[in-house]
Amino acid sequence: MTTQTIAAAAPHSQPGAAKGGQPSSLWLRRAKEYLGLVLVLAGMVVFFGYASKYFLSMKTFNTIANQIPALTVMAVGMTYVMIIGGIDLSVGSVLALCGGVLSLAMVDWELGFMPAAALALAVGFLCGMVNGLITVTWSVPSFIVTLGMLEVARGSAYLATDSRTKYIGGAVSFINDPIVGGISPAFLLAILIVVVGQLVLSYTVFGRHMVGIGTNEEAMRLAGIRTRPTKAAVFALLGLLAAVAAAFQVSRLEAADPNAAAGMELQVIAAVVIGGTSLMGGRGSVVNTFIGVLIISVLEAGLAQIGASDPAKRIITGTVIVIAVIVDMYRNRMIARSAA
C-alpha cells in the first residue's frame, strides 16, 4: 500500500501544495470556510453584545467555556463518524450511562475516581464498539444501529442509577473547578482533544483512511485497504469520547442523572453540520466543528440573555441547522463542479 494509492482513493485528504510552493485550492477552500464560520461567530457576538448589556462580559464567556467541554469532545468523535458516512444517535444516552456507571462505582462501590473513571471509559468504548461492529459486520445502517443503542444505553442508565439522580459531591468537581482566568481544566482538555483530533485527521494514515472511506469506500477496498476495522474504530472512539464527556458533565453537576443529555445528540450533530462536515461523508474538519460548537453555544446564551422563550430558541436553533444543511448541499455541488 503506497501513499499514492491512498491519495487516489481519498483525494480530499491531501492538503498538499501547488507548484511553486503556492497553497493548493484545498487550503484556500479551507481558509474560506474558517473565515466564514469565524465571521458568523463574530457577528453573533456583536449582535448579542448590542442586544444585551450583560453579554460582553468575562462572566458570560467563562460560563460558555465551562459549559461546552462535553459537547465539544463528543462533536470531535461525531465529526469522524460523519466523515466516514455514518451517524450516531446514541451519544447522549451513552453519556448518561457512563455518568451512571461513574456514580455507581464511586457512591455504591466506594471506588476512587480513577478506577471509577476507567470503568466508565470502558463502558463507553464498549457501547461504541458494539455500534461499529454491528454496522460493519451486517452492513446495517448506523442510523438504525445507534437508534437501538440509544434505547439500550438509556435503559441501562436508569438501572445503574436506580432511576434517580445520584449525588457524588465534590469528589469530582476538580475537573470543572475554574483555574486560570476562570477557565476549567475540562475546557483545556477539550481544546487539547480538538487539536489532537485535527492533527490525526489531517496528518495520519488513519485520518486519510477515514476521508477515503467517506469519499469512496469501494475504491479503498479495491486499493487493498481494509475499511471495516477503521469504521469500527471510529464508532468505538466516539463511545470513548462520550464517556469523557460524561466525566465532564458529572463533575460540573456533581451528580449523575439518568435523564442527562436527552436530545444532546441533536446538538452534537448540529455543531458538526454547522462546522461544514459533509452529510454524505468524505469531508470535515475538527476545528470547524469546534467553531460550530461555539456558534450553537453563543446562540443559546445570547437568546437566553435577551429573554427569548424556550419555543423561540428551539425555532431559531432549528432554522440555523436547516440553513447549514442547505449551505452544505450547495458546497457539495460546487466541489463536484470544480472536480469535473
Side-chain angles (χ1 to χ4, degrees):
M1 181 178 65
T2 65
T3 303
Q4 288 81 3
T5 300
I6 298 174
H12 296 299
S13 67
Q14 298 293 322
K19 293 181 180 180
Q22 295 299 321
S24 67
S25 59
L26 178 58
W27 278 113
L28 290 174
R29 186 167 66 245
R30 286 178 176 176
K32 291 179 180 179
E33 290 178 357
Y34 292 145
L35 180 60
L37 289 170
V38 169
L39 288 176
V40 170
L41 179 61
M44 290 173 57
V45 170
V46 171
F47 172 78
F48 287 122
Y50 175 79
S52 170
K53 62 181 180 180
Y54 302 108
F55 185 81
L56 294 178
S57 65
M58 286 301 300
K59 182 178 180 180
T60 297
F61 295 143
N62 284 341
T63 300
I64 293 174
N66 294 330
Q67 286 180 345
I68 66 172
L71 178 61
T72 298
V73 296
M74 288 199 296
V76 171
M78 187 67 77
T79 301
Y80 283 7
V81 168
M82 292 180 67
I83 283 175
I84 66 171
I87 199 166
D88 190 337
L89 300 178
S90 68
V91 288
S93 295
V94 172
L95 183 154
L97 171 59
C98 293
V101 169
L102 182 64
S103 67
L104 176 68
M106 294 187 68
V107 176
D108 293 358
W109 300 346
E110 298 183 350
L111 296 180
F113 173 74
M114 293 305 294
L119 182 59
L121 290 172
V123 170
F125 180 84
L126 178 62
C127 290
M129 181 59 73
V130 169
N131 284 336
L133 289 178
I134 294 176
T135 298
V136 303
T137 301
W138 287 285
S139 299
V140 181
S142 58
F143 176 88
I144 301 299
V145 176
T146 58
L147 184 61
M149 179 59 74
L150 180 152
E151 293 296 332
V152 171
R154 185 64 66 177
S156 300
Y158 280 109
L159 291 176
T161 59
D162 294 327
S163 300
R164 58 187 175 85
T165 300
K166 277 185 174 289
Y167 293 95
I168 301 177
V172 294
S173 62
F174 67 93
I175 302 176
N176 213 69
D177 284 340
I179 47 175
V180 180
I183 299 299
S184 67
F187 177 77
L188 298 178
L189 286 171
I191 294 298
L192 178 61
I193 290 172
V194 168
V195 172
V196 173
Q198 184 62 56
L199 291 175
V200 169
L201 179 61
S202 299
Y203 299 107
T204 68
V205 173
F206 182 70
R208 291 172 181 172
H209 284 185
M210 283 192 290
V211 177
I213 290 169
T215 303
N216 192 332
E217 185 174 357
E218 185 61 26
M220 296 287 284
R221 291 199 190 99
L222 295 176
I225 298 170
R226 298 176 62 201
T227 60
R228 289 187 173 186
T230 299
K231 293 176 71 174
V234 168
F235 279 96
L237 178 61
L238 177 52
L240 185 66
L241 290 175
V244 173
F248 290 165
Q249 188 173 73
V250 168
S251 172
R252 185 166 65 88
L253 302 176
E254 297 186 2
D257 183 357
N259 295 308
M264 193 173 183
E265 58 276 356
L266 300 181
Q267 282 187 306
V268 175
I269 294 170
V272 177
V273 172
I274 289 172
T277 297
S278 174
L279 293 169
M280 306 302 295
R283 191 187 74 250
S285 165
V286 175
V287 173
N288 282 3
T289 291
F290 177 63
I291 301 175
V293 170
L294 293 177
I295 288 174
I296 287 180
S297 301
V298 168
L299 180 63
E300 291 182 347
L303 290 173
Q305 287 205 10
I306 64 176
S309 64
D310 187 64
K313 288 190 287 186
R314 288 176 174 269
I315 292 171
I316 294 172
T317 303
T319 301
V320 170
I321 295 171
V322 172
I323 292 173
V325 172
I326 294 173
V327 170
D328 178 69
M329 292 178 60
Y330 277 103
R331 187 187 295 117
N332 285 333
R333 291 178 184 176
M334 292 177 63
I335 292 174
R337 289 173 184 174
S338 63

